[in-house]
Amino acid sequence: MSASVAHGDALTVGTPTLLISPDSLRAVIQGPDYDDYDVASDGQRFLIKTAPAHVERQRVHVVVNWPSLLK
């Protein structure tokens, strides 16, 4: 959320508005050692990790005791 702030004789805070849609906050990697967002170097944008629109999952094959297959 974001809100406009004005100062003068008193601090005035505007009505909060939606800054980032909740759907954008679904991170690809989540955990205590990963940051899900960052601020751009110009300070004008948030960079948010999002999943690609079309993800094709691939299998990983693990071969155990592969030297025995060389005989």
Side-chain angles (χ1 to χ4, degrees), residues 10-28:
L11 182 67
T12 305
V13 179
T15 303
T17 58
L18 186 63
L19 182 62
I20 301 169
S21 76
D23 291 335
S24 297
L25 296 178
R26 291 181 295 159
V28 175

Side-chain angles (χ1 to χ4, degrees), residues 3-68:
S4 62
V5 177
H7 60 86
D9 294 337
L11 182 67
T12 305
V13 179
T15 303
T17 58
L18 186 63
L19 182 62
I20 301 169
S21 76
D23 291 335
S24 297
L25 296 178
R26 291 181 295 159
V28 175
I29 301 174
Q30 292 180 342
D33 297 331
Y34 300 103
D35 293 327
D36 296 333
Y37 68 93
D38 200 359
V39 179
S41 60
D42 62 4
Q44 299 299 308
R45 298 170 291 149
F46 283 102
L47 307 173
I48 302 171
K49 289 190 281 187
T50 58
H54 302 285
V55 177
E56 185 175 319
R57 295 181 184 240
Q58 297 180 359
R59 293 181 180 218
V60 175
H61 299 278
V62 178
V63 179
V64 180
N65 195 21
W66 61 269
S68 68

